[in-house]
Amino acid sequence: MEHTSWLNGSLVYLAAAVLAVPLAKFLGLGSIIGYLGAGILIGPWGLKLVTDPQDMLHFAEFGVVLMLFLVGLELEPRRLWQLRKPIFGWGSVQLFGSAALMLGAGVMAGVDWRLALVAAVGLALSSTAIGLGVLNERALMNTTSGQSVLSVSLLQDVAAIPLLALLPLLAVAGAHAAGDANAGGGWLGAAKALGVIAGIVLGGRLLLRPALRWIARSDTPEIFTAASLLLVVATAALMQSVGLSMALGAFLAGVLLAESEYRRELETDIEPFKGLLLGLFFIAVGMSIDFAVVLSQPLLMAAVVLGFLLLKFAVLWAMGRAMPLPKPERPVFMILLAQGGEFGFVVFQTAAQAGVISAPASSFLVAAVAISMLLTPLLLVAADRWVIPTLAGQSGRTDPEISEPQNQSVIIAGSGRYGQIVARLLFANGIKPTLLDHDAESIEAFRKFGWRVFYGDATRLDLLRVAGAAQAKVLVLAIDEMEQSVELAKLALQHFPNLKLIARARNAEHYYALRNLGVQCIERETFDSALMSGRSVLESLGWQPHQARNLALRFKRHNLVQLDKMAPLWKDEDKLIAAAKQGRQQLEDLFAQERSEATRQQAKASWSGDDSRTG
């Protein structure tokens, strides 16, 4: 019966995720709100397919643990030391600033100071799972806002030590008779926690790499995967045994292995488990919302959720202005750190068990945290549609605008990876191009190397004129966005006919669009590197280097001719596919015929040699 129950539960969770997440993504709401909605749907207040979400929540929290381990793997100890100021500086400002404001608001509202303090501390914590999950989903982890969110999240996990030690001390204030024992237990727990952290750090330095090296020698991939999971589970269990965040322990283990030779292997092994368990975590959060508490006091719940979000927004807004955050990135930074977090569940449940707050108060606060987590994806959607575009258009950037006419012979639009390589080649040969970009981070990265990049949208005619397009000889289209690249090509061809365009095409569709405009010099960004790899494959299979080179060059010529033939058909998918198949078959037949002819020539030469020896 237990086996059947487990099987049915797995069926319910997976079916809910498979149905809800694609629907949420289709509606533009993101995968997280799909998981949360699926949890509400199958939970006690939905279809009642699952009636005890707490067990699943404890299990699914392991997804957060795996995520923090992978984050730790990306942060070498040297880089983590470089982040110490934002972690302990801005992280402390967010945590203590938010908690102080909420504590003051609670006391002024007449709430008991112990309940107000527990609520303030628990609600000041943010969701690491949502924050880092959104950053990964949007590829924002390496942006300024992404690193800021990571720094604050790490401080919150580190703060688990004093926060959990504080709870027994708060119980002392309400129970003087048991005060000494509880207080001693609190400080003893803190000492144990510090000892475990020290043990993980020392053990990781001395034992982890030799152990993984020994396991890798077994040459059994599944055992290495098991060892990877064992490492994370064991570290998390050690931290949990002293009442600390499992995620913090996993993060420490990841940092310790960030410089090891097994880093990529560990990432590959754990990534699939992380994604699945994170989804289950969000489903469990959706199921855990106690709507009875919400419905019994809806106005109070709305006031608490709205109140603590606004207070945290105020702190984060001030931080965003003081930190070097571009204006368009501030809304995401504020939203990802404003909601309550999964560690708030632990704080409130532990406080209730210690008698610091009542069980109903704990349920109320847990529901407030869950609702704030549910609101986060909706706030992100609203920010994407209305707030961020406005800020991007009105941002008072400090990047140098082109205010004085430029007279360089080359203009490069786009300073990403492609544009940087072109610019570096030109700089190396004494040519100083005018670089244009509208991405603050690309500009900042280029400036670090001492090169000047102008901020601005290259598709603006007035900006092109100031950049010197009328006098320049060459315009390099290195913009990442295909639509903007095509728009710039149209603009340049119409207003600057003497300007030669050298364009980068992201794919065949981009190539066709530029070709049909009349752009002659187009390079596909991955084509030549792929041909070089193909040559290497042929040489590895026995072809002579000159043969492999000639075959690759002939393939390139045929491909370019074929692309020109197919360019007029690019909007007719059926004709385009038919032409592509026909061209591919022609090339295969041609190469097959040449191989057959080469074989005959070799055989003929061999026979001639035999005849001469016989004679």
Side-chain angles (χ1 to χ4, degrees), residues 138-485:
R138 297 184 173 212
L140 297 175
M141 184 63 76
N142 293 321
T143 64
T144 306
S145 59
Q147 292 297 294
S148 301
V149 171
L150 174 62
S151 299
V152 174
S153 299
L154 292 179
L155 185 278
Q156 292 178 359
D157 280 314
V158 172
I161 302 170
L163 290 182
L164 288 178
L166 176 68
L167 295 178
L169 300 180
L170 286 178
V172 172
H176 295 288
D180 293 338
N182 285 339
W187 292 113
L188 180 61
K192 288 181 179 179
L194 291 173
V196 167
I197 291 176
I200 291 175
V201 172
L202 292 176
R205 286 287 184 185
L206 300 175
L207 301 176
L208 276 182
R209 289 193 190 181
L212 289 173
R213 192 175 299 116
W214 178 72
I215 294 168
R217 286 174 184 162
S218 67
D219 200 22
T220 311
E222 63 272 18
I223 295 301
F224 193 88
T225 301
S228 305
L229 291 173
L230 175 63
L231 168 64
V232 181
V233 172
T235 311
L238 276 174
M239 298 297 278
Q240 190 180 43
S241 67
V242 291
L244 291 183
S245 166
M246 294 189 295
L248 176 60
F251 173 77
L252 289 175
V255 170
L256 293 172
L257 289 170
E259 295 178 320
S260 77
E261 62 271 31
Y262 303 107
R263 170 183 168 186
R264 295 303 174 195
E265 185 73 18
L266 290 166
E267 286 179 338
T268 303
D269 288 342
I270 289 178
E271 184 69 36
F273 299 97
K274 180 210 75 172
L276 178 61
L277 289 174
L278 265 182
L280 290 178
F281 170 79
F282 290 121
I283 290 176
V285 169
M287 291 189 298
S288 66
I289 299 177
D290 189 348
F291 285 96
V293 174
V294 178
L295 296 175
S296 64
Q297 297 176 301
L299 295 180
L300 180 60
M301 178 62 71
V304 169
V305 173
L306 184 62
F308 89 77
L309 286 177
L310 288 176
L311 290 174
K312 292 180 75 174
F313 270 132
V315 174
L316 293 166
W317 176 81
M319 289 173 58
R321 286 180 61 87
M323 299 168 69
L325 279 181
K327 273 189 177 181
E329 294 185 18
R330 292 177 191 172
V332 173
F333 168 75
M334 293 166 61
I335 291 171
L336 293 184
L337 292 173
Q339 89 283 357
E342 53 276 354
F343 195 67
F345 298 147
V346 180
V347 171
F348 299 140
Q349 291 169 358
T350 304
Q353 293 170 1
V356 180
I357 62 175
S358 64
S362 175
S363 298
F364 184 91
L365 292 171
V366 167
V369 170
I371 290 173
S372 72
M373 295 171 76
L374 181 62
L375 290 175
T376 298
L378 298 177
L379 292 174
L380 285 170
V381 171
D384 287 338
R385 292 183 180 176
W386 296 298
V387 180
I388 295 176
T390 302
L391 291 176
Q394 299 177 352
S395 59
R397 295 181 180 269
T398 58
D399 305 302
E401 297 277 359
I402 293 186
S403 56
E404 299 180 0
Q406 305 297 306
N407 58 2
Q408 305 297 340
S409 59
V410 179
I411 301 172
I412 300 177
S415 63
R417 293 175 301 170
Y418 195 93
Q420 286 180 22
I421 293 174
V422 175
R424 287 168 60 188
L425 175 62
L426 296 179
F427 276 118
N429 287 277
I431 302 170
K432 295 183 178 180
T434 298
L435 286 98
L436 302 175
D437 207 310
H438 61 85
D439 182 75
E441 293 189 10
S442 294
I443 293 173
E444 186 62 29
F446 229 97
R447 279 205 224 143
K448 289 179 180 177
F449 293 94
W451 295 329
R452 196 177 184 196
V453 185
F454 293 102
Y455 172 77
D457 184 358
T459 59
R460 283 170 40 195
L461 180 59
D462 60 330
L463 188 144
L464 276 180
R465 292 190 189 280
V466 178
Q471 298 81 31
K473 296 180 180 179
V474 179
L475 171 62
V476 179
L477 278 66
I479 299 175
D480 287 337
E481 295 81 5
M482 291 188 290
E483 294 80 6
Q484 290 189 9
S485 173

Side-chain angles (χ1 to χ4, degrees), residues 49 56 87 113 116 138 304 311 399 407 413 421 476-477 495 506 516 528 562 567 571 593:
L49 299 177
M56 175 53 64
I87 291 175
W113 72 269
R138 297 184 173 212
V304 169
L311 290 174
D399 305 302
N407 58 2
I421 293 174
V476 179
L477 278 66
H495 295 278
R506 300 293 301 272
N516 284 329
D528 286 322
Q562 188 71 13
K571 291 188 177 181
Q593 182 180 351

